[in-house]
């Protein structure tokens, strides 16, 4: 089959690779009909996530058609149209039973490797380095789905592919961002990052009763989408002082909830950006934490900072004095997508949230390198490129 493979920093190639096979009775084989790029993929492409190997198939946000199931799969059959959650959960360990699926004890076969960095292993993720299990990703014609009964969900007939594909990752990540931020009716919510996850966090914050959502970004087309599709007020951080703008917008109080939907490659201005990029280049820190610093500084006393932007390791100059003395709560995590799927389909059906506008560039697998360059470089007003392997 054809697949889009990582071969080094910003080097992606379409290659012929072996078709996936059933390796465990709980596996399913899915024919991929749509597979979206994701902001967290850029950390792989730009060389900031360790343990990638030449030939690794990337991609983790996808839908498809079941073409084969193992003997232990009970809830799926050949021909089912399914969305597959990007984080893999076994369904049997304590964490899965508590619906904290991204903390699964059993789905990462490389847990010992991960323990060296994180002290404890977490769940496997499709197409996201050997640190997270070494699973083949979804930018391919077919993919093996382990623990299929717990990760693949039938798509309701009245939900289009263009909406369903983002229920694999972007929509549940945005929902969990708002949930971890403890958004309540009447809250003012600030969201750093107006990409796909940030947009979904904005829409979900409103679904939870937020009175006002403020989007912070530097790209005019993303800010325009945040205003048009997600109902947000907008701040371009290259044009103003974000902290002062947020104080003015909240009567000097600060937002009740601050969401970091950017993560380890955060861009900012001035000496802070130079400092972070230099330290990251010299491997003196692994992640750039400008957004996290700003969120801690901006959040009101007693407020909550929610982190869904991916961080891989160590960051520098975190204002712990502000965090402690302001009495903030900080929560973060990879999303527990399996927990949210039925509810998210209901919100989409009722048009309370709508991710369809994220799909701006449907492309073939052969366009993979150019699509990721466009997505990474923020050109052509690209929100998400979505691969259609069989078109």
């Amino acid at each position: 089959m054809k697949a889009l493979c990582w071969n080094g920093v910003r080097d992606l190639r379409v290659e012929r690779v072996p078709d996936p096979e059933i390796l465990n009775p709980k596996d399913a084989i899915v024919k991929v009909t749509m597979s979206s790029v994701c902001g967290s993929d850029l950390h792989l492409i730009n060389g900031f996530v360790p343990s990638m190997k030449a030939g690794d198939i990337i991609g983790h946000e996808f839908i498809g058609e079941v073409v084969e199931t193992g003997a232990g799969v009970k809830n799926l059959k050949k021909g089912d149209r399914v969305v597959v959650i990007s984080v893999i959960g076994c369904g049997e360990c304590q964490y899965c039973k508590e619906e904290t699926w991204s903390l699964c004890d059993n789905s990462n076969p490389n847990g010992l490797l991960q323990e060296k960095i994180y002290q404890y292993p977490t769940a496997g993720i499709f197409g996201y380095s050997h640190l997270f299990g070494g699973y083949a990703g979804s930018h391919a014609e077919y993919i093996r789905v382990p623990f299929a009964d717990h990760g693949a969900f039938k798509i309701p007939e009245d939900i289009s592919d263009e909406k369903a594909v983002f229920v694999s990752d972007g929509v549940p990540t945005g929902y969990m961002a708002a949930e971890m931020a403890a958004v309540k009716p009447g809250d003012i919510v600030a969201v750093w990052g107006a990409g796909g996850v940030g947009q979904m966090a904005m829409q979900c914050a409103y679904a939870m009763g937020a009175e006002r959502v403020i989007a912070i970004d530097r790209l005019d087309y993303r800010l325009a989408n945040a205003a048009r599709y997600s109902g947000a007020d907008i701040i371009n951080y290259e044009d103003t002082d974000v902290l002062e703008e947020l104080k003015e917008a909240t009567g000097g109080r600060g937002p009740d909830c601050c969401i970091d939907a950017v993560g380890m490659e955060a861009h900012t201005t001035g000496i802070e950006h130079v400092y972070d990029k230099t330290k990251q280049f010299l491997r003196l820190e692994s992640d750039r934490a400008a957004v996290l610093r700003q969120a801690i500084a901006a959040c009101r006393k007693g407020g909550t900072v929610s982190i869904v932007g991916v961080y891989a390791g160590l960051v520098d100059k975190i204002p712990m004095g502000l965090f402690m003395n302001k009495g903030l709560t900080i929560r973060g995590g990879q999303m527990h997508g399996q927990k949210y799927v039925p509810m998210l389909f209901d919100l989409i059906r009722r048009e309370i949230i709508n991710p369809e506008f994220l799909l701006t560039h449907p492309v073939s697998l052969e366009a993979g390198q150019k699509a990721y360059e466009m997505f990474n470089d923020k050109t052509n007003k690209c929100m998400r490129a979505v691969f259609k392997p069989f078109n």
Side-chain angles (χ1 to χ4, degrees):
M1 68 172 184
K2 292 185 296 184
L4 185 63
C5 299
W6 184 95
N7 280 277
V9 174
R10 301 196 73 158
D11 181 2
L12 303 177
R13 306 173 197 171
V14 175
E15 300 177 5
R16 284 282 175 183
V17 300
D19 290 350
E21 299 178 350
I22 298 289
L23 300 180
N24 183 286
K26 296 180 180 181
D27 290 348
I29 303 298
V30 170
K31 177 182 178 181
V32 178
T33 53
M34 283 189 177
S35 180
S36 178
V37 303
C38 177
S40 56
D41 290 328
L42 299 181
H43 308 321
L44 305 177
I45 290 165
N46 292 327
F48 293 116
V49 176
S51 74
M52 292 294 292
K53 298 180 181 179
D56 284 347
I57 304 171
I58 64 171
H60 60 263
E61 186 167 21
F62 66 104
I63 59 172
E65 177 186 333
V66 176
V67 295
E68 185 180 358
T69 58
V73 175
K74 307 300 181 185
N75 300 331
L76 303 170
K77 65 181 186 303
K78 184 177 180 179
D80 283 343
R81 184 173 68 120
V82 295
V83 60
V84 181
I85 298 301
S86 61
V87 171
I88 303 167
C90 73
E92 300 295 330
C93 70
Q94 174 187 344
Y95 295 103
C96 290
K97 289 179 179 179
E98 292 175 350
E99 295 195 287
T100 52
W101 294 84
S102 68
L103 306 180
C104 177
D105 269 336
N106 298 321
S107 65
N108 186 347
N110 295 334
L112 290 176
L113 175 65
Q114 203 181 54
E115 280 184 27
K116 295 178 181 179
I117 299 176
Y118 301 140
Q119 311 308 317
Y120 302 93
T122 60
I125 300 176
F126 290 105
Y128 211 75
S129 83
H130 294 267
L131 195 65
F132 289 91
Y135 289 99
S138 61
H139 294 345
E141 294 180 316
Y142 297 91
I143 186 170
R144 179 177 74 94
V145 178
F147 308 107
D149 277 340
H150 301 292
F153 294 79
K154 296 175 187 177
I155 302 169
E157 292 184 3
D158 58 346
I159 303 293
S160 69
D161 286 355
E162 290 77 10
K163 295 176 182 178
V165 65
F166 301 112
V167 177
S168 173
D169 187 287
V171 180
T173 302
Y175 188 92
M176 185 166 150
E179 182 181 69
M180 290 193 302
V183 176
K184 302 181 297 299
D187 278 350
I188 298 176
V189 181
V191 180
W192 277 258
V197 168
Q199 299 276 354
M200 293 300 99
M202 297 170 205
Q203 293 190 14
C204 292
Y206 276 126
M208 294 177 187
E211 178 179 313
R212 187 179 181 192
V213 174
I214 303 169
I216 301 149
D217 205 297
R218 67 187 174 100
L219 299 167
D220 289 338
Y221 75 91
R222 300 209 308 187
L223 289 168
N225 285 336
R228 178 180 179 183
Y229 296 107
S230 301
D233 296 334
I234 59 175
I235 294 176
N236 187 322
Y237 66 79
E238 290 190 331
D239 296 338
T240 189
D241 184 298
V242 171
L243 183 58
E244 291 303 316
E245 284 285 321
L246 289 174
K247 281 186 175 180
E248 184 174 343
T250 57
R253 211 165 157 261
D256 301 286
C257 313
C258 293
I259 294 174
D260 174 357
V262 180
M264 65 185 292
E265 290 187 74
H267 182 280
T268 189
T269 58
I271 190 65
E272 182 180 11
H273 189 59
V274 174
Y275 172 89
D276 273 342
K277 288 207 75 171
T278 301
K279 292 205 73 171
Q280 190 179 50
F281 177 77
L282 295 174
R283 300 295 189 261
L284 298 175
E285 66 174 345
S286 57
D287 308 350
R288 304 197 298 262
V291 164
L292 181 55
R293 297 186 198 108
Q294 291 173 18
I296 291 171
C299 197
R300 72 160 173 86
K301 293 178 290 185
T304 303
V305 175
S306 170
I307 306 167
V308 289
V310 171
Y311 289 89
L314 301 175
V315 296
D316 198 5
K317 297 292 188 291
I318 297 300
M320 289 305 298
L322 294 182
F323 164 66
M324 185 268 177
N325 286 288
K326 288 169 66 177
L328 302 181
T329 297
I330 298 182
R331 297 190 64 190
Q334 300 279 3
M335 60 90 182
H336 311 310
Q338 291 87 336
K339 176 180 178 181
Y340 305 115
V341 172
M343 176 265 296
L344 293 175
F345 278 140
D346 183 59
L347 290 176
I348 291 171
R349 182 181 293 111
R350 292 158 54 199
E351 299 184 343
I352 293 173
I353 60 174
N354 185 358
E356 187 171 6
F357 74 96
L358 298 177
L359 202 169
T360 54
H361 291 78
V363 296
S364 67
L365 278 178
E366 284 76 11
Q369 176 74 33
K370 291 183 179 179
Y372 266 106
E373 287 175 356
M374 175 176 61
F375 184 55
N376 192 31
D377 298 338
K378 312 296 189 292
T379 58
N380 298 326
K381 297 184 178 180
C382 179
M383 291 298 296
R384 290 287 180 93
V386 174
F387 299 111
K388 296 183 174 183
F390 289 93
N391 281 20

